[in-house]
């Protein structure tokens, strides 16, 4: 199975358009060891020809242009694409808005939880994806399914599963209490399996807590891409960026006794990769103390264009 990181940043990417924070400014200034990042998404393929996108970011057009594997076949019809399906993990803008880039009459399949597909159905702008050629297929959480493109199965099996998280920002209902109306299916993780080779990995770009169910599922996994939004819960507050903690946004932080490093310490995951990294996070700097901490703990930090094979 081939895996390509199309984007490794959190919402807004790096640099963020309206941010003059240390990391965003550093990218603009060309600081060594600090890479620009688009918003988080993966592309996976079992055969190198048919590709499945895991989330569709607002940066998708750029990501496709920078990824030769996703280019149209010059020997095929005038309009064609190796992108056969998109699987959504939540309804956040940075994970669904890129679907609008795929509106030019190209058949493919969209998979998501009933909750997330309901969000698309309620927003008429997504009707530019002609339902006669772009299927929307609900995932039943906990039940694996074969990903199918316009021409049939592509050799990838997906199992979606609920993870602790929060409803998308634009769907928050303050009258609903502390959880803002969050329901199961608002945030899901994915188990992605190559049905030909039998290999698999997990993709969890958004997560508020590694609970016992998630620990059991991830224990001993060969590869996990996991929510790397923040290093500390209050870093955006301290940097004057946003009056919210990571906990309020539905994201874990890497450090501390309740952080991701501690949660994964005894899970025996063979390879661990942080993705969906916010522009405030000091681990984005390759020479930072924080990067040294996560590296020592056995974690990689994803970057745009990163390639892995299983």
């Amino acid at each position: 199975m081939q895996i390509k990181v199309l984007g490794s940043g959190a919402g807004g990417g790096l640099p963020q358009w309206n941010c003059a924070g240390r990391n965003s400014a550093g990218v603009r200034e060309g600081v060594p060891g600090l890479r620009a990042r688009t918003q988080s998404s993966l592309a996976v393929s079992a055969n190198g020809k048919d590709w499945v996108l895991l989330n569709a970011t607002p940066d998708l057009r750029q990501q496709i242009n920078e990824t030769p594997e996703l280019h149209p076949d010059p020997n095929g019809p005038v309009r064609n694409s190796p992108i056969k399906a998109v699987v959504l993990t939540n309804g956040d803008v940075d994970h669904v808005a890129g679907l609008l880039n795929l509106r030019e009459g190209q058949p493919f399949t969209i998979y998501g939880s009933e909750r997330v597909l309901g969000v698309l159905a309620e927003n008429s702008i997504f009707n530019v994806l002609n339902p006669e050629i772009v299927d929307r297929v609900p995932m039943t959480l906990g039940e694996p399914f074969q990903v199918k493109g316009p021409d049939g199965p592509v050799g990838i099996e997906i199992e979606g599963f609920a993870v602790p998280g929060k409803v998308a920002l634009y769907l928050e209902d303050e009258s609903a209490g502390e959880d803002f109306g969050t329901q199961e299916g608002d945030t899901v993780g994915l188990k992605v399996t190559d049905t030909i080779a039998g290999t698999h990995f997990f993709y969890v770009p958004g997560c508020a807590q590694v609970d016992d169910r998630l620990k059991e599922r991830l224990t001993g996994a060969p590869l996990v891409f996991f929510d790397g939004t923040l290093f500390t819960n209050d870093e955006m507050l301290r940097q004057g960026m946003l009056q919210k903690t990571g906990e309020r946004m539905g994201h874990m932080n890497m450090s501390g006794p309740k952080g991701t490093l501690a949660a994964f310490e005894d899970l025996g995951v063979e390879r661990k990769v942080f993705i969906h990294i916010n522009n405030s996070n000091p681990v984005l700097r390759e020479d930072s103390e924080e990067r040294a901490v996560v590296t020592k703990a056995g974690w990689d930090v994803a970057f745009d264009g990163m390639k892995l094979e299983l």
Side-chain angles (χ1 to χ4, degrees):
M1 177 161 45
Q2 299 178 43
I3 306 165
K4 292 209 69 173
V5 176
L6 301 182
S8 54
L14 179 73
Q16 183 172 303
W17 70 279
N18 66 339
C19 184
R22 184 168 180 258
N23 288 335
S24 288
V27 170
R28 296 188 185 102
E29 295 164 3
V31 171
L34 189 58
R35 305 171 186 241
R37 284 172 159 81
T38 58
Q39 295 165 90
S40 72
S41 175
L42 298 182
V44 298
S45 178
N47 58 19
K49 297 178 181 179
D50 301 313
W51 288 83
V52 178
L53 305 187
L54 308 184
N55 291 324
T57 84
D59 302 314
L60 182 55
R61 181 179 177 275
Q62 175 186 343
Q63 292 169 342
I64 291 172
N65 286 339
E66 294 177 352
T67 307
E69 293 90 338
L70 301 183
H71 292 177
D73 181 357
N75 298 314
V78 174
R79 288 196 174 185
N80 70 87
S81 174
I83 297 171
K84 304 304 181 183
V86 180
V87 185
L88 305 173
T89 65
N90 60 25
D92 286 351
V93 169
D94 50 320
H95 286 159
V96 303
L99 291 171
L100 301 178
N101 288 292
L102 305 178
R103 67 189 181 276
E104 280 85 11
Q106 183 68 37
F108 66 99
T109 307
I110 301 171
Y111 295 92
S113 68
E114 293 273 10
R115 175 77 160 156
V116 172
L117 292 185
V119 170
L120 301 185
E122 292 170 3
N123 287 268
S124 58
I125 192 171
F126 289 103
N127 291 338
V128 297
L129 300 169
N130 186 343
E132 293 183 4
I133 61 173
V134 179
D135 292 332
R136 300 184 188 183
V137 180
M139 298 188 293
T140 300
L141 299 183
E143 294 186 10
F145 62 91
Q146 295 283 328
V147 177
K148 295 180 180 180
D151 302 317
V154 299
I156 296 291
E157 178 185 272
I158 298 280
E159 180 188 353
F161 52 91
V163 299
K166 186 185 71 62
V167 66
L169 175 63
Y170 61 92
L171 296 174
E172 286 186 359
D173 179 3
E174 293 189 1
S175 68
E178 293 184 0
D179 64 0
F180 302 98
T182 299
Q183 300 177 22
E184 184 170 273
D186 280 327
T187 303
V188 303
L190 303 176
K191 180 182 180 182
V192 184
T193 301
D194 180 335
T195 61
I196 299 170
T199 54
H200 73 278
F201 73 95
F202 291 92
Y203 179 55
V204 189
C207 186
Q209 178 190 2
V210 180
D211 59 13
D212 289 341
R213 284 197 306 171
L214 187 55
K215 284 183 177 180
E216 182 178 359
R217 184 179 287 274
L218 299 183
T219 294
L223 171 65
V224 175
F225 286 90
F226 196 80
D227 184 348
T229 307
L230 304 176
F231 190 78
T232 56
N233 186 45
D234 64 347
E235 71 186 44
M236 297 189 74
L237 283 167
R238 289 187 289 103
Q239 295 180 34
M241 292 183 175
L242 190 67
Q243 296 303 305
K244 291 181 180 179
T245 62
E247 183 178 25
R248 167 64 179 82
M249 296 188 295
H251 293 287
M252 292 182 67
N253 49 276
M254 297 176 178
S255 64
K258 295 183 180 180
T260 305
L261 298 182
F264 272 75
E265 192 171 334
D266 299 321
L267 298 188
V269 175
E270 293 179 29
R271 187 167 188 185
K272 302 167 287 187
V273 183
F274 281 123
I275 197 166
H276 193 275
I277 305 159
N278 197 60
N279 59 75
S280 60
N281 196 324
V283 303
L284 293 171
R285 292 177 174 258
E286 295 175 6
D287 61 354
S288 67
E289 293 181 7
E290 291 83 359
R291 174 66 75 94
V293 168
V294 301
T295 300
K296 184 177 180 180
W299 284 81
D300 292 323
V301 176
F303 55 87
D304 292 21
M306 184 180 190
K307 301 178 183 180
L308 297 89
E309 289 190 3
L310 282 175

